Coordinates of all heavy atoms in Angstrom, one line a residue:
G1 N -18.0 20.4 85.9 CA -17.6 21.7 85.4 C -18.5 22.1 84.3 O -19.5 21.4 83.9
N2 N -18.3 23.2 83.7 CA -19.0 23.8 82.6 C -18.9 22.9 81.3 O -19.8 22.9 80.5 CB -18.6 25.2 82.2 CG -19.0 26.2 83.3 OD1 -19.9 25.9 84.1 ND2 -18.4 27.3 83.3
D3 N -17.8 22.1 81.2 CA -17.6 21.3 80.0 C -18.6 20.2 79.9 O -18.8 19.6 78.9 CB -16.2 20.9 79.8 CG -15.7 20.1 81.0 OD1 -16.2 20.2 82.1 OD2 -14.8 19.3 80.8
D4 N -19.2 19.8 81.1 CA -20.3 18.8 81.0 C -21.5 19.2 80.3 O -22.3 18.3 79.9 CB -20.7 18.4 82.5 CG -19.6 17.7 83.2 OD1 -18.7 17.1 82.6 OD2 -19.6 17.8 84.5
M5 N -21.7 20.5 80.0 CA -22.8 21.0 79.3 C -22.6 21.1 77.8 O -23.5 21.5 77.1 CB -23.2 22.4 79.9 CG -23.5 22.3 81.3 SD -23.7 23.9 82.1 CE -24.9 24.7 81.2
I6 N -21.5 20.7 77.3 CA -21.2 20.7 75.9 C -22.0 19.7 75.1 O -22.0 18.6 75.4 CB -19.7 20.4 75.6 CG1 -18.8 21.5 76.3 CG2 -19.4 20.4 74.1 CD1 -17.3 21.2 76.3
A7 N -22.8 20.2 74.1 CA -23.7 19.3 73.4 C -23.3 19.0 72.0 O -23.5 17.9 71.6 CB -25.1 20.0 73.4
G8 N -22.7 19.9 71.3 CA -22.3 19.7 69.9 C -20.9 20.1 69.7 O -20.1 20.5 70.5
N9 N -20.5 19.9 68.4 CA -19.1 20.2 68.0 C -19.0 21.7 67.5 O -20.0 22.2 66.9 CB -18.7 19.3 66.8 CG -18.5 17.9 67.3 OD1 -18.0 17.7 68.4 ND2 -18.8 16.9 66.5
V10 N -17.9 22.3 67.6 CA -17.6 23.6 67.0 C -17.6 23.3 65.5 O -17.2 22.3 65.0 CB -16.3 24.2 67.5 CG1 -16.4 24.5 68.9 CG2 -15.1 23.4 67.2
S11 N -18.1 24.3 64.7 CA -18.1 24.2 63.3 C -17.6 25.5 62.7 O -18.2 26.6 62.7 CB -19.6 24.0 62.8 OG -19.7 24.0 61.4
K12 N -16.3 25.4 62.1 CA -15.7 26.5 61.5 C -15.7 27.8 62.4 O -16.1 28.9 62.0 CB -16.3 26.9 60.1 CG -16.1 25.8 59.1 CD -14.7 25.7 58.6 CE -14.5 24.7 57.5 NZ -13.1 24.6 57.1
Y13 N -15.3 27.5 63.7 CA -15.4 28.6 64.7 C -14.0 29.3 64.8 O -13.0 28.7 65.1 CB -15.7 27.9 66.0 CG -15.7 28.9 67.2 CD1 -16.7 29.9 67.3 CD2 -14.8 28.7 68.2 CE1 -16.7 30.8 68.3 CE2 -14.8 29.6 69.3 CZ -15.8 30.6 69.4 OH -15.8 31.5 70.4
T14 N -14.0 30.6 64.5 CA -12.8 31.4 64.6 C -12.7 32.0 66.0 O -13.7 32.7 66.4 CB -12.8 32.5 63.5 OG1 -12.8 31.8 62.2 CG2 -11.5 33.3 63.6
V15 N -11.7 31.8 66.7 CA -11.5 32.2 68.1 C -10.8 33.6 68.0 O -9.7 33.7 67.5 CB -10.7 31.2 68.9 CG1 -10.6 31.7 70.3 CG2 -11.4 29.9 68.8
L16 N -11.5 34.6 68.5 CA -10.9 36.0 68.5 C -10.5 36.4 70.0 O -11.2 36.0 70.9 CB -11.9 36.9 68.0 CG -12.3 36.7 66.5 CD1 -13.5 37.6 66.1 CD2 -11.2 36.8 65.6
P17 N -9.5 37.2 70.1 CA -9.1 37.6 71.5 C -10.3 38.5 72.1 O -11.0 39.1 71.3 CB -7.9 38.5 71.2 CG -7.4 38.1 69.9 CD -8.6 37.6 69.1
A18 N -10.4 38.5 73.4 CA -11.4 39.3 74.1 C -11.3 40.8 73.7 O -10.2 41.3 73.6 CB -11.3 39.1 75.6
G19 N -12.3 41.4 73.3 CA -12.3 42.8 73.0 C -12.0 43.1 71.5 O -12.0 44.3 71.1
Y20 N -11.6 42.1 70.8 CA -11.2 42.3 69.4 C -12.4 42.5 68.5 O -13.4 41.8 68.6 CB -10.4 41.1 68.8 CG -10.0 41.3 67.4 CD1 -8.9 42.0 67.1 CD2 -10.8 40.8 66.4 CE1 -8.5 42.2 65.8 CE2 -10.4 40.9 65.0 CZ -9.2 41.6 64.7 OH -8.9 41.8 63.4
C21 N -12.4 43.6 67.7 CA -13.5 43.9 66.8 C -12.9 43.9 65.3 O -11.8 44.3 65.1 CB -14.1 45.2 67.0 SG -14.9 45.3 68.6
G22 N -13.6 43.4 64.4 CA -13.2 43.4 63.0 C -13.0 42.0 62.4 O -13.4 41.0 63.1
Q23 N -12.5 42.0 61.2 CA -12.4 40.7 60.5 C -11.2 40.0 61.1 O -10.2 40.5 61.6 CB -12.1 41.0 59.0 CG -13.2 41.6 58.3 CD -14.4 40.7 58.1 OE1 -14.2 39.5 58.0 NE2 -15.6 41.2 58.2
P24 N -11.4 38.6 61.1 CA -10.3 37.8 61.6 C -9.0 38.0 60.8 O -9.1 38.2 59.6 CB -10.8 36.4 61.5 CG -12.2 36.5 61.4 CD -12.5 37.8 60.8
K25 N -7.8 38.0 61.5 CA -6.6 38.1 60.8 C -5.9 36.8 60.8 O -6.3 35.9 61.5 CB -5.7 39.1 61.5 CG -6.3 40.5 61.6 CD -5.3 41.5 62.2 CE -4.9 41.2 63.6 NZ -4.1 42.2 64.3
K26 N -4.8 36.7 60.0 CA -3.9 35.5 60.0 C -3.5 35.3 61.5 O -3.0 36.2 62.1 CB -2.8 35.7 59.1 CG -2.0 34.4 58.7 CD -2.8 33.6 57.7 CE -1.9 32.6 57.1 NZ -2.7 31.6 56.4
G27 N -3.6 34.1 62.0 CA -3.2 33.8 63.3 C -4.4 33.7 64.3 O -4.3 33.2 65.4
H28 N -5.6 34.2 63.9 CA -6.8 34.0 64.6 C -7.3 32.6 64.2 O -7.9 32.4 63.1 CB -7.9 35.0 64.3 CG -7.5 36.4 64.9 ND1 -8.0 37.5 64.4 CD2 -6.7 36.7 65.9 CE1 -7.6 38.6 65.1 NE2 -6.7 38.1 66.0
L29 N -7.1 31.6 65.0 CA -7.3 30.2 64.6 C -8.8 29.9 64.4 O -9.6 30.3 65.1 CB -6.7 29.3 65.7 CG -5.2 29.4 65.9 CD1 -4.8 28.4 66.9 CD2 -4.4 29.3 64.6
T30 N -9.0 29.0 63.4 CA -10.4 28.6 63.1 C -10.4 27.1 63.4 O -9.6 26.3 62.7 CB -10.7 28.8 61.6 OG1 -10.7 30.3 61.4 CG2 -12.1 28.3 61.3
F31 N -11.2 26.6 64.3 CA -11.4 25.2 64.7 C -12.6 24.7 64.0 O -13.7 25.3 63.9 CB -11.5 25.1 66.2 CG -10.2 25.5 66.9 CD1 -10.0 26.9 67.2 CD2 -9.3 24.6 67.3 CE1 -8.8 27.2 67.9 CE2 -8.1 24.9 68.0 CZ -7.9 26.2 68.3
D32 N -12.5 23.4 63.7 CA -13.7 22.7 63.1 C -13.7 21.2 63.5 O -12.7 20.6 63.5 CB -13.7 22.8 61.6 CG -14.9 22.2 60.9 OD1 -16.0 22.3 61.5 OD2 -14.8 21.6 59.9
A33 N -14.8 20.8 64.0 CA -15.0 19.4 64.4 C -16.4 18.9 63.9 O -16.9 17.9 64.4 CB -14.9 19.2 65.9
C34 N -16.9 19.5 63.0 CA -18.3 19.2 62.5 C -18.1 18.2 61.4 O -18.3 18.4 60.2 CB -19.0 20.4 62.0 SG -20.7 20.2 61.8
F35 N -17.7 17.0 61.7 CA -17.6 15.8 60.8 C -17.6 14.6 61.6 O -17.5 14.6 62.9 CB -16.3 15.9 60.0 CG -15.0 16.2 60.8 CD1 -14.3 15.1 61.4 CD2 -14.6 17.5 61.0 CE1 -13.2 15.4 62.2 CE2 -13.4 17.7 61.7 CZ -12.7 16.7 62.4
E36 N -17.8 13.4 61.0 CA -17.9 12.2 61.7 C -16.6 11.9 62.6 O -15.5 12.1 62.1 CB -18.0 11.0 60.7 CG -18.2 9.7 61.4 CD -18.5 8.5 60.4 OE1 -18.7 8.8 59.2 OE2 -18.4 7.4 60.9
S37 N -16.8 11.6 63.8 CA -15.8 11.4 64.8 C -15.2 12.7 65.4 O -14.3 12.6 66.2 CB -14.7 10.4 64.4 OG -13.8 11.0 63.5
G38 N -15.6 13.8 64.9 CA -15.1 15.1 65.5 C -15.7 15.2 66.9 O -16.8 14.8 67.2
N39 N -14.9 15.8 67.9 CA -15.4 15.8 69.2 C -14.9 17.0 70.0 O -14.8 17.0 71.2 CB -15.0 14.5 70.0 CG -13.5 14.4 70.2 OD1 -12.7 15.0 69.5 ND2 -13.1 13.6 71.2
L40 N -14.7 18.2 69.3 CA -14.3 19.4 70.0 C -15.5 20.2 70.3 O -16.2 20.7 69.4 CB -13.3 20.2 69.1 CG -12.7 21.5 69.7 CD1 -11.9 21.1 71.0 CD2 -11.9 22.2 68.7
G41 N -15.8 20.4 71.6 CA -17.1 21.1 71.9 C -17.0 22.6 72.2 O -17.9 23.3 71.9
R42 N -15.8 23.1 72.6 CA -15.7 24.5 72.9 C -14.2 24.8 72.9 O -13.3 24.0 73.2 CB -16.2 24.8 74.3 CG -16.4 26.3 74.6 CD -17.1 26.5 75.9 NE -16.0 26.8 76.9 CZ -16.1 26.5 78.2 NH1 -17.2 25.9 78.7 NH2 -15.2 26.8 79.0
V43 N -13.9 26.1 72.5 CA -12.5 26.6 72.5 C -12.5 28.0 73.1 O -13.4 28.8 72.8 CB -12.0 26.7 71.0 CG1 -10.6 27.3 71.1 CG2 -12.1 25.4 70.3
D44 N -11.6 28.2 74.1 CA -11.5 29.5 74.7 C -10.1 30.0 74.4 O -9.1 29.3 74.5 CB -11.6 29.4 76.2 CG -13.0 29.0 76.7 OD1 -13.9 29.2 75.9 OD2 -13.1 28.6 77.8
H45 N -10.0 31.3 74.0 CA -8.7 32.0 73.7 C -8.1 32.4 75.0 O -8.7 33.1 75.9 CB -9.0 33.2 72.8 CG -7.7 34.0 72.5 ND1 -7.3 35.0 73.2 CD2 -6.9 33.8 71.5 CE1 -6.2 35.5 72.7 NE2 -5.9 34.8 71.6
I46 N -6.8 32.0 75.2 CA -6.1 32.5 76.4 C -5.0 33.5 76.0 O -5.0 34.6 76.5 CB -5.4 31.3 77.1 CG1 -6.4 30.2 77.4 CG2 -4.6 31.7 78.3 CD1 -7.5 30.6 78.3
T47 N -4.1 33.1 75.1 CA -3.1 34.0 74.5 C -3.0 33.7 73.0 O -3.6 32.7 72.6 CB -1.8 33.9 75.2 OG1 -1.2 32.6 74.8 CG2 -1.8 34.0 76.7
E48 N -2.1 34.4 72.3 CA -1.9 34.1 70.9 C -1.5 32.6 70.7 O -1.7 32.0 69.7 CB -0.9 35.0 70.3 CG -0.5 34.8 68.9 CD 0.6 35.7 68.4 OE1 1.1 36.5 69.1 OE2 0.8 35.6 67.2
F49 N -0.8 32.1 71.7 CA -0.2 30.7 71.6 C -0.9 29.7 72.5 O -0.4 28.6 72.6 CB 1.3 30.8 71.9 CG 2.0 31.7 70.9 CD1 2.5 32.9 71.3 CD2 2.3 31.3 69.6 CE1 3.2 33.7 70.5 CE2 2.9 32.1 68.7 CZ 3.4 33.3 69.2
E50 N -1.9 30.1 73.2 CA -2.6 29.2 74.2 C -4.1 29.3 74.1 O -4.7 30.4 74.1 CB -2.1 29.6 75.6 CG -2.7 28.6 76.6 CD -2.2 29.0 78.0 OE1 -1.4 29.9 78.2 OE2 -2.6 28.3 79.0
Y51 N -4.7 28.1 74.0 CA -6.2 28.0 73.9 C -6.6 26.9 74.9 O -5.9 25.9 75.0 CB -6.6 27.6 72.5 CG -6.3 28.7 71.5 CD1 -5.0 28.8 70.9 CD2 -7.3 29.5 71.1 CE1 -4.7 29.8 70.0 CE2 -7.0 30.5 70.1 CZ -5.7 30.7 69.6 OH -5.5 31.7 68.7
D52 N -7.7 27.0 75.5 CA -8.3 25.9 76.3 C -9.3 25.2 75.3 O -10.2 25.8 74.7 CB -9.1 26.5 77.5 CG -8.2 26.8 78.6 OD1 -7.0 26.3 78.6 OD2 -8.6 27.5 79.6
L53 N -9.1 23.9 75.2 CA -9.9 23.1 74.3 C -10.8 22.1 75.2 O -10.2 21.5 76.1 CB -9.1 22.2 73.4 CG -8.1 23.0 72.5 CD1 -7.2 22.1 71.7 CD2 -8.8 24.1 71.7
F54 N -12.1 22.1 74.9 CA -13.0 21.2 75.7 C -13.5 20.1 74.8 O -14.2 20.4 73.8 CB -14.1 22.1 76.2 CG -13.7 23.1 77.2 CD1 -13.2 24.3 76.8 CD2 -13.7 22.8 78.6 CE1 -12.8 25.3 77.7 CE2 -13.3 23.8 79.5 CZ -12.8 25.0 79.1
I55 N -13.1 18.9 75.1 CA -13.4 17.7 74.3 C -14.7 17.1 74.8 O -14.9 16.9 76.0 CB -12.2 16.7 74.4 CG1 -10.9 17.3 74.0 CG2 -12.5 15.5 73.5 CD1 -10.8 17.9 72.6
R56 N -15.6 16.8 73.8 CA -16.8 16.2 74.2 C -16.6 14.7 74.6 O -15.7 14.1 74.1 CB -17.8 16.2 73.0 CG -18.4 17.5 72.7 CD -19.5 17.4 71.7 NE -19.3 16.6 70.5 CZ -19.7 15.3 70.4 NH1 -20.4 14.8 71.3 NH2 -19.4 14.7 69.3
P57 N -17.4 14.2 75.5 CA -17.2 12.8 75.9 C -17.6 11.9 74.7 O -18.3 12.2 73.9 CB -18.1 12.6 77.1 CG -19.1 13.8 77.0 CD -18.4 14.9 76.3
D58 N -17.1 10.7 74.8 CA -17.4 9.6 73.8 C -18.9 9.4 73.9 O -19.5 9.4 75.0 CB -16.7 8.3 74.1 CG -15.2 8.4 73.8 OD1 -14.8 9.3 73.1 OD2 -14.5 7.5 74.2
T59 N -19.5 9.1 72.7 CA -21.0 8.9 72.7 C -21.4 7.7 73.5 O -22.4 7.8 74.2 CB -21.4 8.7 71.2 OG1 -21.0 9.9 70.5 CG2 -22.9 8.6 71.1
C60 N -20.7 6.6 73.4 CA -21.1 5.4 74.0 C -20.6 5.2 75.5 O -21.0 4.3 76.2 CB -20.7 4.2 73.2 SG -21.5 4.1 71.6
N61 N -19.7 6.1 75.8 CA -19.1 6.0 77.2 C -18.8 7.4 77.7 O -17.6 7.9 77.5 CB -17.9 5.1 77.3 CG -17.6 4.8 78.7 OD1 -18.0 5.4 79.6 ND2 -16.8 3.7 78.9
P62 N -19.7 8.2 78.3 CA -19.5 9.6 78.6 C -18.4 9.8 79.7 O -18.0 10.9 79.9 CB -20.8 10.0 79.1 CG -21.6 8.8 79.5 CD -21.0 7.7 78.6
R63 N -17.9 8.7 80.3 CA -16.9 8.9 81.3 C -15.5 9.1 80.7 O -14.6 9.6 81.4 CB -16.8 7.7 82.2 CG -18.0 7.5 83.1 CD -17.9 6.3 84.0 NE -16.6 6.2 84.6 CZ -16.1 5.0 84.9 NH1 -16.9 3.9 84.9 NH2 -14.9 4.9 85.4
F64 N -15.3 8.8 79.4 CA -14.0 8.9 78.8 C -13.8 10.0 77.8 O -14.7 10.2 77.0 CB -13.6 7.5 78.2 CG -13.5 6.4 79.2 CD1 -14.5 5.5 79.4 CD2 -12.4 6.4 80.0 CE1 -14.4 4.5 80.3 CE2 -12.2 5.4 81.0 CZ -13.2 4.4 81.1
R65 N -12.7 10.6 77.8 CA -12.3 11.6 76.8 C -10.8 11.4 76.5 O -10.0 12.2 76.8 CB -12.5 13.0 77.4 CG -13.9 13.3 77.7 CD -14.1 14.5 78.5 NE -15.4 14.5 79.0 CZ -16.1 15.6 79.3 NH1 -15.6 16.8 79.1 NH2 -17.3 15.5 79.8
V66 N -10.5 10.2 75.9 CA -9.1 9.8 75.7 C -8.6 10.1 74.3 O -7.5 9.7 74.0 CB -8.9 8.3 76.1 CG1 -9.2 8.1 77.6 CG2 -9.9 7.4 75.2
W67 N -9.4 10.7 73.4 CA -9.0 10.9 72.1 C -9.5 12.3 71.7 O -10.4 12.8 72.3 CB -9.4 9.8 71.1 CG -10.9 9.6 71.1 CD1 -11.6 8.9 72.0 CD2 -11.8 10.2 70.2 NE1 -12.9 8.9 71.7 CE2 -13.1 9.8 70.6 CE3 -11.7 11.1 69.2 CZ2 -14.3 10.2 70.0 CZ3 -12.9 11.5 68.5 CH2 -14.1 11.0 68.9
F68 N -9.0 12.9 70.6 CA -9.5 14.1 70.1 C -9.4 14.1 68.5 O -8.5 13.4 68.0 CB -8.8 15.3 70.6 CG -7.3 15.3 70.5 CD1 -6.7 15.8 69.4 CD2 -6.6 14.7 71.5 CE1 -5.3 15.8 69.3 CE2 -5.2 14.7 71.5 CZ -4.6 15.2 70.3
N69 N -10.3 14.8 67.9 CA -10.3 14.8 66.4 C -11.0 16.1 66.0 O -12.2 16.3 66.1 CB -11.1 13.6 65.9 CG -10.9 13.4 64.4 OD1 -10.1 14.1 63.8 ND2 -11.6 12.5 63.8
F70 N -10.1 17.1 65.5 CA -10.6 18.3 65.0 C -9.6 18.9 64.0 O -8.4 18.4 64.0 CB -10.9 19.3 66.1 CG -9.8 19.6 67.0 CD1 -8.9 20.6 66.8 CD2 -9.6 18.8 68.1 CE1 -7.8 20.9 67.6 CE2 -8.5 19.0 69.0 CZ -7.7 20.1 68.7
T71 N -9.9 19.9 63.3 CA -9.0 20.6 62.4 C -8.7 22.0 62.9 O -9.6 22.6 63.6 CB -9.4 20.6 60.9 OG1 -10.6 21.4 60.9 CG2 -9.7 19.2 60.4
V72 N -7.6 22.6 62.5 CA -7.2 24.0 62.8 C -6.8 24.6 61.5 O -5.9 24.1 60.8 CB -6.1 24.1 63.9 CG1 -5.8 25.5 64.2 CG2 -6.5 23.3 65.1
E73 N -7.3 25.8 61.2 CA -6.9 26.6 60.0 C -6.5 28.0 60.4 O -6.7 28.4 61.5 CB -8.1 26.6 59.0 CG -8.5 25.3 58.5 CD -9.8 25.4 57.7 OE1 -10.4 26.4 57.6 OE2 -10.2 24.4 57.1
N74 N -6.0 28.7 59.5 CA -5.7 30.1 59.6 C -4.5 30.4 60.5 O -4.4 31.4 61.2 CB -6.9 31.0 60.0 CG -6.7 32.4 59.6 OD1 -6.1 32.7 58.6 ND2 -7.2 33.3 60.5
V75 N -3.5 29.4 60.6 CA -2.4 29.6 61.4 C -1.4 30.5 60.7 O -1.4 30.7 59.5 CB -1.7 28.3 61.7 CG1 -2.6 27.4 62.5 CG2 -1.2 27.6 60.5
K76 N -0.5 31.2 61.5 CA 0.5 32.0 60.9 C 1.9 31.3 61.2 O 2.0 30.5 62.1 CB 0.5 33.4 61.3 CG 0.8 33.7 62.8 CD 0.7 35.1 63.1 CE 0.9 35.4 64.6 NZ 0.8 36.8 64.9
E77 N 2.9 31.7 60.4 CA 4.2 31.1 60.6 C 4.7 31.3 62.1 O 4.4 32.4 62.7 CB 5.2 31.7 59.7 CG 6.5 31.1 59.7 CD 7.5 31.6 58.6 OE1 7.0 32.2 57.6 OE2 8.7 31.5 58.8
S78 N 5.3 30.3 62.7 CA 5.8 30.3 64.0 C 4.7 30.3 65.1 O 5.0 30.5 66.3 CB 6.7 31.6 64.3 OG 7.8 31.6 63.4
Q79 N 3.5 30.1 64.7 CA 2.4 30.0 65.7 C 2.3 28.6 66.1 O 1.9 28.2 67.2 CB 1.1 30.5 65.1 CG 0.0 30.7 66.2 CD -1.2 31.3 65.6 OE1 -1.5 31.2 64.4 NE2 -2.0 31.8 66.4

């Protein structure tokens, strides 16, 4: 699939809904995996409460994706 083409980690990436213009608001999540052992390669917005996360394969064994390590910021209450 397309996730096989993921080369690097997301770095302070704010995910906005399709068609949204303007500054990010509270609840527009910001993902970051730009640190040692981070492995989040791509994030797609589905709904306010649902995101598709694409985890990069392990460096030494590309067949496995059994762990994840990233941060999420800018959440709002009840999200």
Side-chain angles (χ1 to χ4, degrees):
N2 289 341
D3 58 334
D4 292 336
M5 299 169 55
I6 297 169
N9 289 326
V10 296
S11 179
K12 295 288 183 181
Y13 177 65
T14 302
V15 183
L16 300 174
Y20 180 83
C21 296
Q23 293 292 326
K25 300 185 300 187
K26 196 76 166 168
H28 290 157
L29 301 184
T30 301
F31 293 84
D32 186 34
C34 196
F35 49 84
E36 185 176 348
S37 76
N39 68 338
L40 184 61
R42 191 175 98 209
V43 181
D44 294 343
H45 180 269
I46 305 300
T47 70
E48 179 183 3
F49 301 104
E50 183 178 357
Y51 295 80
D52 280 343
L53 306 178
F54 296 84
I55 304 301
R56 288 188 316 97
D58 289 345
T59 303
C60 295
N61 193 342
R63 291 181 40 206
F64 293 104
R65 298 169 195 208
V66 296
W67 57 275
F68 53 90
N69 193 6
F70 57 90
T71 64
V72 180
E73 299 174 349
N74 202 36
V75 298
K76 66 181 180 181
E77 189 175 336
S78 298
Q79 190 177 21

